[in-house]
Amino acid sequence: MDAIDDLSDALETTRNVLTPVSLGFWLKLAVVVFFVSSLGLGGPMLPGGDVGAILEEPTADEQGGEELEALEEDAPVDEILLALAILLVIGVVLWLIYAFIAGIMEFVFIETLRSSELNLRRYFGANLGNGVRLFLFRIGVLLAMGVLALGPALLLEVTGTGLEAASGGTFGIYLLYGIAVYLGYSIVQRFTSEFVAPIMLLEDRGVFSAWGRLWPTVTSNWTEYLVYLILVWVLSFAISLGVWFLISFGILALMIPFVIGFVLLVFLGEIGFVLMIPLGVLAFVSVLLFVALVWTPITTYFQYYALLVLGDTNDELDLIPDQRAAVRSGNGPQPPRDGTAGRGDTRRVDGAWGRDSSEGDEGSLWDDTDDSDPWGEPDDGDGTDDTNDRPSWDDAGVDDDRDRTGDEDESTDRDDDTRGW
């Protein structure tokens, strides 16, 4: 099954593109990963919370009503609410900016993995239109999920029932419904990022057109994509637990010099407190960069895994044919998907016709071991060797460097007005 075989192929492809380690390439790729990856914080996690406590304590507001009234009299509630509203607006604006940049960085990331080189400015400018389309699509999907998730609760409020008066069974059903909606949202977002965005880049399509291009492939290979989803979720969960455990110790070690710096600045008085602001910003950026660097190979691996699955289920949607061929040839011939050959053959096979290069190039099928020609005319004494004029398999016009990828030339200057959605 391709979804299982591609796990090891994705690991080899990731190692090939990230090694030998180049500090500049890794730093730039980490910046891209910061926007395209959730850094292990996302995924189809189930909502938490103690449902029993919510159902067993409906009178919590009544018990704390008097304390709340006393707090309202002593504290400036209006000022606090205004400050919270301002912080909320700032947070939403920052998130929208981040999501907009992330939409463009998706294509920068895919283009980088496709070409094995990173030109941040050129890739960013060339995919600005694609990024806007992806950003708007994600916002639309998020709003649709919000309507589907909150719709039943709003309906109960309108009818006068309300969640407070709902029975435990009704609340449990609503909770399961919310989990199902979130899982659907997670699948749509993952497929859009991992499969639809590459199709948009490959065939110069809009989001809906790329989804229409992907859908027949998914339906005709639904077992592959189901196994892909299960493996990705399981691996993401397991890797997140282990990686964040290591990241925690890394952050503690990274913070040691900054903590020492803060302590020293305290003794400088007012100027020290002023200098704490840029030092704190530097510490925050350093932590983000460190976490992004750790997640760079992980995010690269999962994206390569998705691209390999996409290309294996539909040859026309293969964005990385060169990387695929390189990793599957390795030190041996590329094994066919029907399983008729294994990876154990250590001979190097060149070309589409499978000529064994281990036999050497000194002689060919038509070369004679004797310098004389028993079938030709006697030597005319001109000193030339007639045996070199005979054709051989090496001169039969076989091109050992055939390219299975076809024409991959694409223009980076896209006409965004002609694609539509």
Side-chain angles (χ1 to χ4, degrees), residues 196-398:
V196 173
I199 295 176
M200 293 173 63
L201 185 63
L202 177 66
E203 298 186 347
D204 202 21
R205 293 174 177 264
V207 183
F208 292 106
S209 177
W211 259 107
R213 185 75 169 88
L214 173 68
W215 189 247
T217 301
V218 174
T219 54
S220 59
N221 301 274
W222 64 271
T223 54
E224 297 282 357
Y225 287 93
L226 178 61
V227 172
Y228 162 81
L229 277 176
I230 295 175
L231 291 177
V232 164
W233 284 344
V234 172
L235 289 175
S236 298
F237 180 77
I239 291 175
S240 297
L241 291 180
V243 169
W244 274 108
F245 180 78
L246 297 176
I247 287 178
S248 300
F249 289 97
I251 292 177
L252 290 177
L254 184 63
M255 287 294 100
I256 292 177
F258 291 103
V259 172
I260 296 175
F262 281 118
V263 173
L264 294 177
L265 290 177
V266 171
F267 296 98
L268 297 180
E270 295 182 358
I271 186 64
F273 288 103
V274 174
L275 294 176
M276 285 183 182
I277 297 177
L279 183 62
V281 173
L282 180 60
F284 179 71
V285 173
S286 299
V287 170
L288 291 181
L289 183 59
F290 169 72
V291 176
L293 282 171
V294 173
W295 279 100
T296 292
I298 300 172
T299 307
T300 302
Y301 170 79
F302 281 114
Q303 184 62 67
Y304 267 132
Y305 178 40
L307 293 177
L308 288 169
V309 172
L310 180 63
D312 283 332
T313 53
N314 191 334
D315 293 338
E316 297 178 355
L317 302 179
D318 190 3
L319 275 80
I320 52 171
D322 293 338
Q323 293 94 321
R324 182 191 309 275
V327 74
R328 288 176 181 171
S329 62
N331 293 326
Q334 179 177 344
R337 281 297 174 177
D338 58 5
T340 57
R343 296 180 183 266
D345 192 352
T346 60
R347 295 181 302 168
R348 182 176 180 270
V349 176
D350 296 327
W353 299 107
R355 180 172 61 84
D356 187 359
S357 62
S358 63
E359 296 175 1
D361 294 327
E362 304 83 47
S364 65
L365 184 61
W366 296 100
D367 290 336
D368 296 322
T369 57
D370 188 0
D371 292 336
S372 62
D373 185 3
W375 304 104
E377 296 295 331
D379 189 359
D380 55 6
D382 59 359
T384 61
D385 187 2
D386 294 333
T387 59
N388 292 332
D389 296 331
R390 292 184 177 86
S392 67
W393 286 113
D394 293 332
D395 298 325
V398 178

Side-chain angles (χ1 to χ4, degrees), residues 7-17 19 301 327-328:
L7 288 172
S8 58
D9 292 341
L11 185 61
E12 292 293 329
T13 309
T14 301
R15 183 171 59 184
N16 291 342
V17 76
T19 57
Y301 170 79
V327 74
R328 288 176 181 171

Side-chain angles (χ1 to χ4, degrees), residues 26-183:
W26 271 69
L27 288 176
K28 291 191 293 184
L29 190 59
V31 174
V32 177
V33 168
F34 170 74
F35 287 97
V36 304
S37 171
S38 60
L39 301 181
L41 299 176
M45 302 299 179
L46 300 182
D50 188 356
V51 177
I54 295 177
L55 297 177
E56 292 172 2
E57 297 179 2
T59 60
D61 292 340
E62 298 177 0
Q63 297 174 359
E66 297 179 357
E67 298 178 359
L68 182 60
E69 292 179 358
L71 180 62
E72 291 178 351
E73 294 178 357
D74 298 335
V77 178
D78 294 337
E79 288 78 0
I80 294 177
L81 293 178
L82 179 60
L84 292 177
I86 294 175
L87 291 177
L88 179 61
V89 171
I90 294 176
V92 171
V93 171
L94 292 177
W95 178 82
L96 289 174
I97 295 174
Y98 174 87
F100 174 76
I101 299 176
I104 304 174
M105 287 297 188
E106 283 285 353
F107 298 95
V108 174
F109 186 55
I110 296 170
E111 192 68 79
T112 299
L113 301 187
R114 184 185 183 188
S115 62
S116 299
E117 62 180 19
L118 177 53
N119 191 321
L120 187 58
R121 181 181 302 177
R122 178 160 60 90
Y123 292 165
F124 192 93
N127 292 283
L128 184 60
N130 280 333
V132 172
R133 292 180 178 87
L134 185 59
F135 165 72
L136 294 178
F137 178 83
R138 286 173 170 174
I139 295 297
V141 173
L142 181 62
L143 294 177
M145 186 201 71
V147 171
L148 291 176
L150 300 178
L154 295 177
L155 182 61
L156 290 177
E157 292 293 337
V158 171
T159 57
T161 304
L163 288 177
E164 297 81 1
S167 62
T170 302
F171 191 87
I173 294 175
Y174 180 71
L175 180 62
L176 293 177
Y177 169 78
I179 294 174
V181 171
Y182 180 73
L183 289 179

